[in-house]
Amino acid sequence: MMRRLGTIVALAAVALLAGCERYATPESLRGGGTGAPIALTSQSITLPDETVTLPASADIVTVNCTACHSPDLILAQPKLKPEQWQAEVTKMRGAYKATIDEQDDGKIVAALLALQK
Amino acid sequence: MAEWLRQPIARRSALTLGAGALASSPLWAQLLVDLGFSQGDGRRPLTDAFPGKRGMILQRARAPLLETPMAAFDGELGASTFTPNDRFFVRWHYADIPLSVDVDAFRLQVGGAVNRPLSLSLKQVQALPQVEIAAVNQCSGNSRGLFGPRVPGAQWGNGAIGNALWTGVRLRDLLERAGVAPGAVQVQFAGLDRPPGDAPWFAKSLTIDHARADEVIVAYGMNGTQLPLLNGFPLRLIVPGWFSTYWVKALDRITVLSAPDTGYWMDKAYRIPATPRASVVPGAKDFPTVPIGRMLPRAFFTRADAGGVRGIALGGDAGVAKVEWSIDGGKSWHAAQLGHDAGRYGFRRWAASVPPGAQTVAVRTTNTSGATQRFDPIWNPGGYMRNSIETMKVTQA
């Protein structure tokens, strides 16, 4: 499956990029103005909805952490020690000014560890 | 979206969500890939759901982290080395990213220690001499998920990397128009993304000499067309040979500094041990650090089967001099074939035929400065700078 996808992608890439390959020389940096003009048009996009949520038992993580990043990244972390999770919480509060009450640290770290069980 | 996707789910079911989503949601996570991490935790959904992107490995929905599958880099030796824009990896720090840019309203500010502060429209930027360069863009933390012991952060496989033909104007030309004041030491770059609350604005700096270098450009073109919004439309700083943290996306503010940048993103984040290979003993703390900078040579497999092995290579901050393969654990090395050279900072394709039988193939790049790759992995707490030799098990007929 992956290989077939790769072949299709490679073919598409060749078709797409055949037109600009000729400019891809170190010399073009020296020459200036060698390539075709690039037309710029306004862009607007909508990002997809998030699909992953945390279980109710991890509400304290949802409340304190997911305002800035979606749960998928939290769930994808390797198994971390309590002190590593605490360092993450401390970094978010110190470096990124997250409004995490220090009194909740223990509960947050415990919930993060429970998510990794 | 199907209501059941909103249900709270445990870790295990989160990982299988992608497969289940296929039936009910053709736009979202259609397949799973396995990035092969040490704790069996490398499974990730593939997604077509992000505008202008397809077949991307979903690392994080918000702020988006999308990885390129290695299959997207695969091709014959003579194929283009450029990564298609719709497969190019995506990495944003903060969730508040530009989702709409009006090309008539956009302005690039050039200020700070300059004689004539500038506020340039895109037309004015494009009126400067146009230059092009092929260059690899690689996340500082590419391959972080392969570190041992593991470290927190985005768990990238090897696909937080891509090669494009960048079209734009020299940063030097912009700085000359503004007139750099005497005593300038650095130039700082910031874009349209915004931090939450009181978090530090994302900004990165280069020395004034580096900023004036021939190859550093402000790009409005990526592989012959405008950049996708998710890759930094309308303007992106291109710093060939250096890690992506300096390639500021949606660049709208260039500030010439008369004192070194002491902001969080230079002073605290993206720093590596000031040791050989940026490596320390796992768990080490309180070692001297320096900002991450130049990239290192690497070689990757994109295919390994009965037809042989092949892949892509980069020289890092210099060209690819050679790619070699070994099937005896590095006792003897043999030259791989190299594809065409699109410039010292771009990918080179490589290919090799290895002897029949079951083999573990190792592959390494040596760059034109003489730097090469080693088997023994490095370690640092940020999960940066990995470039140890890749191996692949293959059975040749």
Side-chain angles (χ1 to χ4, degrees), chain A residues 3 9-10 17 21 23-24 28-29 32-36 38 40-46 49-51 53-55 66-67 69-70 72-73 75-79 88 95-97 115, chain B residues 1 5-9 11 28 39 51 60-62 74 80 82 87 94 99-103 126 130 132-133 152-153 155 170 198-200 224 226-227 233 264-265 305 340 342:
Chain A
R3 186 174 312 148
V9 168
L17 298 175
E21 185 77 358
Y23 302 124
S28 58
L29 246 194
T34 53
I38 306 278
L40 301 182
T41 57
S42 298
Q43 290 194 62
S44 191
I45 59 171
T46 304
D49 291 332
E50 293 165 33
T51 54
T53 55
L54 300 176
T66 59
H69 36 74
S70 49
D72 39 16
L73 189 80
L75 293 169
Q77 293 305 298
K79 288 196 170 57
E88 291 299 304
Y96 297 100
K97 314 301 178 195
L115 284 171
Chain B
M1 184 185 0
L5 288 175
R6 284 293 189 198
Q7 296 302 311
I9 47 176
R11 171 178 168 76
W28 216 188
Q39 297 172 1
R60 182 175 69 189
R62 173 176 53 87
D74 188 47
S80 166
F82 295 127
R87 308 301 301 277
Y94 293 135
L99 298 176
S100 182
V101 173
D102 180 331
V103 293
Q126 287 193 288
Q130 178 171 301
E132 294 172 315
I133 187 167
Q155 300 298 303
R170 286 187 191 86
D198 295 326
Q226 65 184 9
L227 283 79
F233 176 81
Y264 172 77
W265 293 98
D305 57 23
H340 73 279

Coordinates of all heavy atoms in Angstrom, one line a residue, chain A residues 3 9-10 17 21 23-24 28-29 32-36 38 40-46 49-51 53-55 66-67 69-70 72-73 75-79 88 95-97 115, chain B residues 1 5-9 11 28 39 51 60-62 74 80 82 87 94 99-103 126 130 132-133 152-153 155 170 198-200 224 226-227 233 264-265 305 340 342:
Chain A
R3 N 4.0 1.4 -0.8 CA 4.8 1.6 -2.0 C 4.0 2.1 -3.2 O 4.5 2.9 -3.9 CB 5.4 0.2 -2.3 CG 6.4 0.3 -3.5 CD 7.1 -1.0 -3.8 NE 7.6 -1.5 -2.5 CZ 7.6 -2.8 -2.3 NH1 7.3 -3.7 -3.2 NH2 8.1 -3.3 -1.1
V9 N 2.9 9.2 -5.7 CA 3.4 10.5 -5.3 C 4.6 10.9 -6.2 O 4.7 12.0 -6.6 CB 3.8 10.4 -3.8 CG1 4.6 11.6 -3.4 CG2 2.5 10.3 -3.0
A10 N 5.5 9.9 -6.4 CA 6.7 10.2 -7.2 C 6.4 10.7 -8.6 O 6.9 11.7 -9.1 CB 7.6 9.0 -7.2
L17 N 6.8 19.1 -10.9 CA 8.0 19.9 -10.8 C 8.9 19.9 -12.0 O 9.9 20.6 -12.0 CB 8.8 19.3 -9.6 CG 8.0 19.4 -8.2 CD1 8.8 18.7 -7.2 CD2 7.8 20.8 -7.9
E21 N 12.4 22.4 -12.5 CA 13.7 21.8 -12.3 C 14.8 22.6 -13.0 O 15.9 22.7 -12.4 CB 13.6 20.4 -12.9 CG 14.8 19.5 -12.6 CD 14.9 19.0 -11.2 OE1 14.0 19.3 -10.4 OE2 15.8 18.3 -10.9
Y23 N 15.5 25.5 -13.2 CA 16.1 26.7 -12.5 C 16.9 26.3 -11.3 O 17.5 27.1 -10.6 CB 14.9 27.6 -12.0 CG 14.0 28.1 -13.1 CD1 12.7 27.8 -13.0 CD2 14.6 28.7 -14.2 CE1 11.9 28.3 -14.0 CE2 13.8 29.2 -15.2 CZ 12.4 28.9 -15.1 OH 11.6 29.4 -16.1
A24 N 16.9 25.0 -10.9 CA 17.5 24.6 -9.7 C 19.0 24.4 -9.7 O 19.5 23.3 -9.5 CB 16.8 23.3 -9.2
S28 N 21.7 30.1 -10.2 CA 20.6 31.0 -10.3 C 20.6 32.0 -9.1 O 20.1 33.0 -9.2 CB 19.3 30.2 -10.2 OG 19.2 29.4 -9.1
L29 N 21.4 31.6 -8.1 CA 21.5 32.6 -7.0 C 22.3 33.8 -7.4 O 22.1 34.9 -6.9 CB 22.2 31.9 -5.8 CG 21.5 31.7 -4.5 CD1 22.4 31.3 -3.4 CD2 20.6 32.9 -4.1
G32 N 20.2 36.0 -10.7 CA 19.0 36.9 -10.3 C 18.0 36.9 -11.4 O 18.4 37.1 -12.6
G33 N 16.8 36.9 -11.1 CA 15.7 37.0 -12.1 C 15.7 36.0 -13.1 O 15.1 36.2 -14.2
T34 N 16.2 34.8 -12.8 CA 16.2 33.7 -13.9 C 14.9 33.0 -14.0 O 14.6 32.6 -15.1 CB 17.3 32.7 -13.5 OG1 17.1 32.2 -12.2 CG2 18.7 33.3 -13.6
G35 N 14.2 32.9 -12.9 CA 13.0 32.1 -12.9 C 11.7 32.9 -13.4 O 11.8 34.1 -13.6
A36 N 10.7 32.1 -13.5 CA 9.4 32.8 -13.9 C 8.9 33.6 -12.7 O 9.2 33.2 -11.5 CB 8.4 31.7 -14.3
I38 N 6.5 34.7 -9.8 CA 5.5 34.0 -8.9 C 4.3 34.9 -8.6 O 4.5 35.9 -8.1 CB 6.2 33.6 -7.6 CG1 7.6 32.9 -7.8 CG2 5.3 32.8 -6.7 CD1 7.5 31.4 -8.1
L40 N 1.2 36.0 -6.7 CA 0.7 35.9 -5.3 C -0.8 36.3 -5.2 O -1.2 37.3 -5.7 CB 1.5 36.8 -4.4 CG 3.0 36.5 -4.3 CD1 3.7 37.5 -3.3 CD2 3.3 35.1 -3.9
T41 N -1.6 35.3 -4.7 CA -3.0 35.6 -4.5 C -3.4 35.3 -3.1 O -2.8 34.4 -2.4 CB -3.9 34.7 -5.5 OG1 -3.5 33.4 -5.2 CG2 -3.6 35.0 -6.9
S42 N -4.4 36.1 -2.6 CA -4.8 35.9 -1.2 C -5.2 34.5 -0.9 O -5.8 33.8 -1.7 CB -5.9 36.9 -0.9 OG -5.5 38.2 -1.0
Q43 N -4.9 34.1 0.3 CA -5.3 32.7 0.8 C -6.1 32.8 2.1 O -5.8 33.6 2.9 CB -4.1 31.9 1.0 CG -3.3 31.5 -0.3 CD -2.3 30.4 0.0 OE1 -2.7 29.3 0.4 NE2 -1.0 30.7 -0.1
S44 N -7.0 31.8 2.2 CA -7.8 31.7 3.4 C -8.1 30.2 3.6 O -8.5 29.6 2.6 CB -9.1 32.5 3.3 OG -9.7 32.6 4.5
I45 N -7.9 29.7 4.8 CA -8.1 28.3 5.0 C -8.9 28.1 6.3 O -8.9 29.0 7.2 CB -6.8 27.4 5.1 CG1 -5.9 27.9 6.2 CG2 -6.1 27.4 3.7 CD1 -4.7 27.0 6.4
T46 N -9.5 26.9 6.4 CA -10.1 26.5 7.7 C -9.5 25.2 8.1 O -9.4 24.3 7.3 CB -11.6 26.3 7.5 OG1 -12.2 27.5 7.0 CG2 -12.3 26.0 8.8
D49 N -11.6 20.1 12.4 CA -11.9 20.0 13.8 C -11.0 19.0 14.4 O -10.5 18.0 13.8 CB -13.4 19.5 14.0 CG -14.3 20.6 13.6 OD1 -14.0 21.8 13.7 OD2 -15.5 20.2 13.2
E50 N -10.7 19.1 15.7 CA -10.0 18.1 16.4 C -10.9 16.9 16.7 O -12.1 17.1 16.9 CB -9.5 18.7 17.8 CG -8.5 19.8 17.6 CD -8.2 20.6 18.8 OE1 -8.4 20.0 19.9 OE2 -8.0 21.8 18.7
T51 N -10.3 15.7 16.7 CA -11.1 14.5 16.9 C -10.8 13.8 18.2 O -11.6 13.0 18.6 CB -10.9 13.5 15.7 OG1 -9.5 13.3 15.6 CG2 -11.5 14.1 14.4
T53 N -10.2 13.6 22.1 CA -10.4 14.2 23.4 C -9.9 13.3 24.5 O -9.6 12.1 24.3 CB -11.9 14.5 23.7 OG1 -12.6 13.2 23.5 CG2 -12.4 15.5 22.7
L54 N -9.7 13.8 25.7 CA -9.2 13.1 26.8 C -10.3 12.5 27.6 O -11.4 13.1 27.6 CB -8.3 13.9 27.7 CG -7.1 14.6 27.0 CD1 -6.4 15.5 28.0 CD2 -6.1 13.5 26.5
P55 N -10.1 11.4 28.3 CA -11.2 10.8 29.2 C -11.6 11.8 30.3 O -10.7 12.6 30.7 CB -10.6 9.5 29.7 CG -9.2 9.7 29.5 CD -8.9 10.6 28.4
T66 N -5.1 21.8 27.4 CA -5.5 21.8 26.0 C -6.0 23.1 25.4 O -6.4 23.2 24.2 CB -6.7 20.7 25.8 OG1 -7.8 21.1 26.6 CG2 -6.2 19.3 26.2
A67 N -5.9 24.2 26.2 CA -6.2 25.5 25.6 C -5.1 25.8 24.6 O -5.4 26.5 23.6 CB -6.3 26.5 26.7
H69 N -2.6 23.3 23.3 CA -2.3 22.3 22.3 C -3.3 21.1 22.4 O -3.8 20.8 23.5 CB -0.9 21.8 22.4 CG -0.3 21.7 23.8 ND1 -0.7 20.8 24.7 CD2 0.5 22.6 24.4 CE1 -0.1 21.0 25.8 NE2 0.7 22.1 25.7
S70 N -3.6 20.5 21.3 CA -4.6 19.5 21.3 C -4.1 18.2 22.0 O -2.9 18.0 22.1 CB -5.0 19.2 19.8 OG -3.9 19.0 19.0
D72 N -3.9 15.2 21.2 CA -3.2 14.1 20.5 C -1.7 14.1 20.8 O -1.1 13.1 20.9 CB -3.4 14.2 19.0 CG -3.5 15.6 18.4 OD1 -3.1 16.5 19.1 OD2 -4.0 15.8 17.3
L73 N -1.1 15.4 21.0 CA 0.3 15.4 21.3 C 0.6 14.9 22.7 O 1.6 14.2 22.9 CB 0.8 16.9 21.2 CG 2.3 16.9 21.3 CD1 3.0 16.6 20.0 CD2 2.8 18.3 21.7
L75 N -1.1 12.6 24.2 CA -1.3 11.1 24.2 C -0.1 10.5 23.5 O 0.1 9.3 23.6 CB -2.6 10.8 23.5 CG -3.9 11.2 24.3 CD1 -5.1 11.0 23.5 CD2 -4.0 10.3 25.6
A76 N 0.6 11.2 22.7 CA 1.6 10.6 21.8 C 3.0 10.7 22.5 O 4.0 10.3 21.9 CB 1.7 11.3 20.5
Q77 N 3.1 11.2 23.7 CA 4.4 11.3 24.4 C 4.9 9.9 24.8 O 4.1 9.0 25.2 CB 4.3 12.2 25.6 CG 4.0 13.7 25.3 CD 5.0 14.2 24.3 OE1 6.2 14.3 24.6 NE2 4.6 14.6 23.2
P78 N 6.2 9.7 24.8 CA 6.7 8.5 25.3 C 6.4 8.4 26.8 O 6.1 9.4 27.4 CB 8.2 8.6 25.0 CG 8.5 10.0 25.0 CD 7.2 10.7 24.4
K79 N 6.6 7.2 27.4 CA 6.4 7.1 28.9 C 7.4 8.0 29.6 O 8.6 7.8 29.5 CB 6.6 5.7 29.3 CG 5.4 4.8 28.8 CD 5.4 3.5 29.6 CE 4.1 2.8 29.3 NZ 3.8 2.5 27.8
E88 N 7.6 19.6 32.5 CA 6.8 20.1 31.4 C 5.8 21.1 32.0 O 5.6 22.2 31.4 CB 6.1 19.0 30.7 CG 7.0 18.1 29.9 CD 7.7 18.8 28.8 OE1 7.1 19.4 27.9 OE2 9.0 18.7 28.8
A95 N 7.9 29.5 31.4 CA 8.4 30.0 30.1 C 7.2 30.5 29.3 O 7.3 31.5 28.6 CB 9.1 28.9 29.3
Y96 N 6.0 29.8 29.3 CA 4.9 30.2 28.5 C 3.8 30.9 29.2 O 2.7 31.1 28.6 CB 4.4 28.9 27.7 CG 5.5 28.3 26.8 CD1 6.2 27.3 27.2 CD2 5.7 28.9 25.6 CE1 7.2 26.7 26.4 CE2 6.7 28.4 24.7 CZ 7.4 27.3 25.2 OH 8.4 26.8 24.3
K97 N 4.0 31.1 30.5 CA 3.0 31.9 31.3 C 1.7 31.3 31.4 O 0.6 32.0 31.5 CB 2.9 33.4 30.8 CG 4.3 34.0 30.5 CD 5.2 34.1 31.7 CE 6.5 34.7 31.3 NZ 7.5 34.5 32.4
L115 N -2.8 8.6 32.1 CA -3.1 8.5 30.6 C -2.1 7.6 29.9 O -2.4 7.1 28.8 CB -3.0 9.9 30.0 CG -4.2 10.9 30.3 CD1 -3.8 12.3 29.7 CD2 -5.4 10.3 29.6
Chain B
M1 N -18.8 16.0 11.5 CA -18.1 15.0 12.1 C -19.0 14.0 12.9 O -19.9 14.5 13.6 CB -17.0 15.5 13.0 CG -16.1 14.5 13.6 SD -14.9 15.2 14.8 CE -15.3 16.9 14.8
L5 N -16.9 10.4 17.5 CA -15.5 10.9 17.5 C -15.2 11.9 18.7 O -14.1 12.1 19.1 CB -15.1 11.6 16.2 CG -15.0 10.7 15.0 CD1 -14.8 11.5 13.7 CD2 -13.9 9.7 15.2
R6 N -16.3 12.5 19.1 CA -16.2 13.4 20.2 C -16.1 12.7 21.6 O -15.9 13.4 22.6 CB -17.4 14.4 20.2 CG -17.3 15.4 19.2 CD -16.1 16.4 19.4 NE -16.1 17.5 18.6 CZ -15.1 18.3 18.4 NH1 -13.9 18.0 19.0 NH2 -15.1 19.3 17.6
Q7 N -16.4 11.4 21.6 CA -16.4 10.7 22.9 C -15.0 10.7 23.5 O -14.0 10.6 22.8 CB -16.9 9.2 22.7 CG -18.3 9.1 22.2 CD -19.3 9.8 23.1 OE1 -19.3 9.6 24.3 NE2 -20.2 10.7 22.6
P8 N -14.9 10.8 24.8 CA -13.6 10.6 25.4 C -13.1 9.3 25.1 O -13.8 8.3 25.1 CB -14.0 10.8 26.9 CG -15.3 11.5 27.0 CD -16.0 11.1 25.8
I9 N -11.8 9.2 24.8 CA -11.2 8.0 24.5 C -9.9 7.8 25.2 O -9.2 8.7 25.5 CB -11.0 7.8 22.9 CG1 -10.3 9.1 22.4 CG2 -12.3 7.6 22.2 CD1 -10.0 9.1 21.0
R11 N -6.0 6.1 25.6 CA -4.8 6.2 24.8 C -4.9 5.1 23.7 O -4.6 5.4 22.5 CB -3.6 6.0 25.7 CG -2.3 5.8 24.9 CD -1.2 5.6 25.8 NE 0.0 5.2 25.1 CZ 0.8 6.0 24.4 NH1 0.4 7.2 24.2 NH2 1.8 5.5 23.8
W28 N -10.7 12.7 7.1 CA -9.9 12.7 8.3 C -9.1 11.4 8.3 O -9.5 10.5 7.6 CB -10.7 12.8 9.5 CG -10.3 13.6 10.7 CD1 -11.0 13.6 11.9 CD2 -9.2 14.4 10.9 NE1 -10.4 14.4 12.8 CE2 -9.2 14.9 12.2 CE3 -8.1 14.8 10.2 CZ2 -8.3 15.8 12.8 CZ3 -7.1 15.7 10.7 CH2 -7.2 16.1 12.0
Q39 N 8.9 2.2 22.2 CA 7.9 1.7 23.2 C 6.6 1.2 22.4 O 5.6 1.1 23.0 CB 7.5 2.8 24.1 CG 8.7 3.3 25.0 CD 8.4 4.5 25.9 OE1 7.3 5.0 25.8 NE2 9.4 4.9 26.6
P51 N -5.9 21.9 4.8 CA -6.0 22.5 3.5 C -4.6 22.6 2.8 O -3.6 23.0 3.4 CB -6.5 23.9 3.8 CG -7.2 23.8 5.1 CD -6.5 22.7 5.8
R60 N 0.0 16.4 15.6 CA -0.8 17.3 16.4 C -1.7 18.1 15.6 O -1.3 18.6 14.6 CB 0.1 18.2 17.3 CG -0.7 19.1 18.3 CD 0.3 19.9 19.2 NE 1.0 20.9 18.4 CZ 1.9 21.7 18.9 NH1 2.4 21.4 20.2 NH2 2.5 22.6 18.2
A61 N -3.0 18.1 16.0 CA -4.0 18.9 15.2 C -3.8 20.4 15.5 O -4.0 21.2 14.5 CB -5.4 18.5 15.6
R62 N -3.5 20.8 16.7 CA -3.5 22.2 17.0 C -2.4 22.5 18.0 O -2.4 21.8 19.1 CB -4.8 22.6 17.6 CG -4.9 24.1 18.2 CD -6.3 24.4 18.6 NE -6.8 23.4 19.6 CZ -6.5 23.4 20.9 NH1 -5.9 24.4 21.4 NH2 -7.0 22.5 21.7
D74 N 10.3 9.1 -2.0 CA 10.9 8.1 -2.9 C 10.8 8.5 -4.4 O 9.9 9.2 -4.8 CB 10.1 6.8 -2.7 CG 10.8 5.6 -3.4 OD1 12.1 5.5 -3.2 OD2 10.2 4.8 -4.1
S80 N 13.0 14.2 -9.7 CA 13.1 15.5 -9.0 C 13.4 15.2 -7.5 O 12.9 14.3 -6.9 CB 11.8 16.3 -9.1 OG 11.9 17.4 -8.1
F82 N 12.7 17.5 -5.3 CA 11.9 18.5 -4.5 C 10.7 17.8 -3.9 O 10.0 16.9 -4.6 CB 11.4 19.6 -5.4 CG 12.6 20.5 -5.9 CD1 12.8 20.7 -7.2 CD2 13.5 21.0 -5.0 CE1 13.9 21.5 -7.6 CE2 14.6 21.7 -5.4 CZ 14.8 22.0 -6.7
R87 N 2.9 17.8 0.2 CA 3.4 16.8 1.1 C 4.5 17.3 2.1 O 5.1 16.6 2.9 CB 4.1 15.6 0.3 CG 3.2 15.0 -0.8 CD 1.9 14.4 -0.3 NE 2.0 13.4 0.7 CZ 2.2 12.1 0.5 NH1 2.5 11.7 -0.8 NH2 2.2 11.2 1.4
Y94 N 2.6 27.9 18.1 CA 1.4 28.4 18.8 C 0.2 28.1 18.0 O 0.3 28.2 16.7 CB 1.6 29.9 19.1 CG 2.6 30.2 20.1 CD1 3.5 31.3 19.9 CD2 2.7 29.5 21.3 CE1 4.5 31.6 20.8 CE2 3.7 29.9 22.2 CZ 4.6 30.9 22.0 OH 5.5 31.3 22.9
L99 N -4.5 32.2 9.2 CA -5.4 31.3 8.4 C -5.9 32.1 7.2 O -6.6 31.5 6.3 CB -6.6 30.8 9.3 CG -6.2 29.9 10.4 CD1 -7.4 29.6 11.3 CD2 -5.5 28.7 10.0
S100 N -5.6 33.4 7.2 CA -6.0 34.2 6.0 C -5.0 35.3 5.8 O -4.7 36.0 6.8 CB -7.4 34.8 6.4 OG -7.9 35.5 5.3
V101 N -4.6 35.5 4.6 CA -3.7 36.6 4.3 C -4.1 37.3 3.1 O -4.3 36.6 2.0 CB -2.2 36.1 4.2 CG1 -1.3 37.2 3.7 CG2 -1.7 35.5 5.5
D102 N -4.3 38.6 3.2 CA -4.7 39.4 2.0 C -3.4 40.0 1.4 O -2.7 40.8 2.0 CB -5.6 40.6 2.5 CG -6.1 41.5 1.4 OD1 -5.4 41.6 0.4 OD2 -7.2 42.1 1.5
V103 N -3.2 39.6 0.2 CA -1.9 40.0 -0.4 C -1.8 41.5 -0.7 O -0.7 42.1 -0.7 CB -1.6 39.3 -1.8 CG1 -1.4 37.8 -1.5 CG2 -2.7 39.5 -2.8
Q126 N 8.6 42.0 -4.4 CA 8.8 41.3 -5.6 C 9.6 42.1 -6.7 O 10.1 41.6 -7.7 CB 7.5 40.7 -6.2 CG 7.0 39.6 -5.4 CD 5.9 38.8 -6.1 OE1 4.8 39.4 -6.2 NE2 6.2 37.7 -6.6
Q130 N 15.1 38.9 -8.3 CA 14.6 37.6 -7.9 C 15.7 36.6 -7.9 O 16.5 36.5 -8.9 CB 13.5 37.2 -8.8 CG 12.9 35.8 -8.5 CD 11.6 35.5 -9.3 OE1 10.7 36.3 -9.2 NE2 11.7 34.5 -10.1
E132 N 16.9 32.3 -6.7 CA 16.3 31.0 -6.4 C 17.4 30.1 -5.8 O 18.5 30.2 -6.2 CB 15.8 30.3 -7.7 CG 14.6 31.0 -8.3 CD 14.3 30.4 -9.6 OE1 15.2 30.2 -10.4 OE2 13.1 30.2 -9.9
I133 N 16.9 29.2 -4.9 CA 17.9 28.3 -4.3 C 17.2 27.0 -3.9 O 16.1 27.1 -3.3 CB 18.7 28.9 -3.1 CG1 19.8 28.0 -2.7 CG2 17.8 29.3 -2.0 CD1 20.8 28.6 -1.8
P152 N 10.7 14.2 25.9 CA 9.4 14.8 25.6 C 9.5 15.8 24.4 O 10.6 16.3 24.1 CB 9.0 15.5 26.9 CG 10.2 15.7 27.6 CD 11.2 14.6 27.2
G153 N 8.3 16.0 23.8 CA 8.3 17.0 22.7 C 7.5 16.3 21.5 O 7.1 15.2 21.7
Q155 N 7.0 14.0 18.8 CA 7.6 12.7 18.5 C 7.7 12.5 17.0 O 7.1 11.6 16.5 CB 6.9 11.6 19.2 CG 6.8 11.8 20.8 CD 8.2 11.8 21.4 OE1 9.0 10.8 21.3 NE2 8.5 12.9 22.1
R170 N 17.0 38.4 -1.9 CA 18.1 38.3 -0.9 C 17.7 39.2 0.3 O 17.3 40.4 0.2 CB 19.4 38.8 -1.4 CG 20.1 37.8 -2.3 CD 21.5 38.4 -2.6 NE 22.1 37.6 -3.7 CZ 21.9 37.9 -5.0 NH1 21.2 39.0 -5.3 NH2 22.5 37.2 -6.0
D198 N 0.4 35.6 27.9 CA 1.6 36.4 28.0 C 2.9 35.6 27.6 O 4.0 35.9 27.9 CB 1.8 36.8 29.5 CG 0.8 37.8 29.9 OD1 0.3 38.6 29.1 OD2 0.3 37.7 31.1
A199 N 2.6 34.5 26.9 CA 3.8 33.7 26.4 C 4.6 34.5 25.4 O 4.1 35.5 24.8 CB 3.2 32.4 25.7
P200 N 5.9 34.2 25.3 CA 6.8 35.0 24.5 C 6.5 34.9 23.0 O 6.3 33.8 22.5 CB 8.2 34.4 24.8 CG 7.9 33.0 25.3 CD 6.6 33.1 26.0
G224 N 8.1 26.8 -7.4 CA 7.5 27.5 -8.6 C 6.1 28.1 -8.3 O 5.5 28.7 -9.3
Q226 N 3.3 30.1 -5.1 CA 3.3 30.7 -3.8 C 3.3 29.6 -2.7 O 2.8 28.5 -2.9 CB 2.1 31.7 -3.6 CG 0.8 31.0 -3.7 CD -0.3 32.1 -3.6 OE1 -0.1 33.3 -3.7 NE2 -1.6 31.6 -3.5
L227 N 3.7 30.0 -1.5 CA 3.8 29.0 -0.4 C 2.4 28.7 0.1 O 1.5 29.5 0.1 CB 4.6 29.6 0.8 CG 6.1 29.6 0.7 CD1 6.6 30.7 -0.1 CD2 6.7 29.7 2.1
F233 N 3.1 31.2 4.0 CA 2.6 32.2 3.0 C 2.4 33.5 3.8 O 1.9 33.5 4.9 CB 1.3 31.8 2.4 CG 0.7 32.8 1.5 CD1 1.1 32.9 0.1 CD2 -0.4 33.6 1.9 CE1 0.5 33.9 -0.7 CE2 -1.0 34.5 1.0 CZ -0.5 34.6 -0.2
Y264 N 13.2 34.7 24.6 CA 13.1 33.3 25.0 C 13.5 32.4 24.0 O 14.2 31.4 24.2 CB 11.6 33.0 25.4 CG 11.3 31.6 25.7 CD1 11.7 31.0 26.9 CD2 10.7 30.8 24.7 CE1 11.5 29.6 27.1 CE2 10.5 29.5 24.9 CZ 10.9 28.9 26.1 OH 10.6 27.6 26.4
W265 N 13.2 32.7 22.7 CA 13.4 31.7 21.6 C 14.8 31.6 21.2 O 15.2 30.7 20.4 CB 12.4 31.9 20.5 CG 11.0 31.7 20.9 CD1 10.1 32.6 21.3 CD2 10.4 30.4 20.9 NE1 8.9 32.0 21.6 CE2 9.0 30.7 21.4 CE3 10.7 29.1 20.7 CZ2 8.1 29.6 21.6 CZ3 9.8 28.1 20.9 CH2 8.5 28.3 21.3
D305 N 13.8 -3.0 -1.0 CA 13.1 -4.3 -1.4 C 14.0 -5.0 -2.4 O 15.2 -4.7 -2.6 CB 11.7 -4.0 -2.0 CG 11.8 -3.0 -3.2 OD1 12.9 -3.0 -3.8 OD2 10.8 -2.4 -3.5
H340 N 21.3 13.6 -9.6 CA 21.9 14.9 -10.0 C 22.0 15.9 -8.8 O 21.3 15.7 -7.8 CB 21.1 15.5 -11.1 CG 19.8 16.0 -10.7 ND1 18.7 15.2 -10.6 CD2 19.4 17.3 -10.4 CE1 17.6 16.0 -10.2 NE2 18.0 17.2 -10.1
A342 N 21.4 19.4 -7.4 CA 20.5 20.6 -7.6 C 21.0 21.8 -6.7 O 20.3 22.7 -6.5 CB 19.1 20.3 -7.3

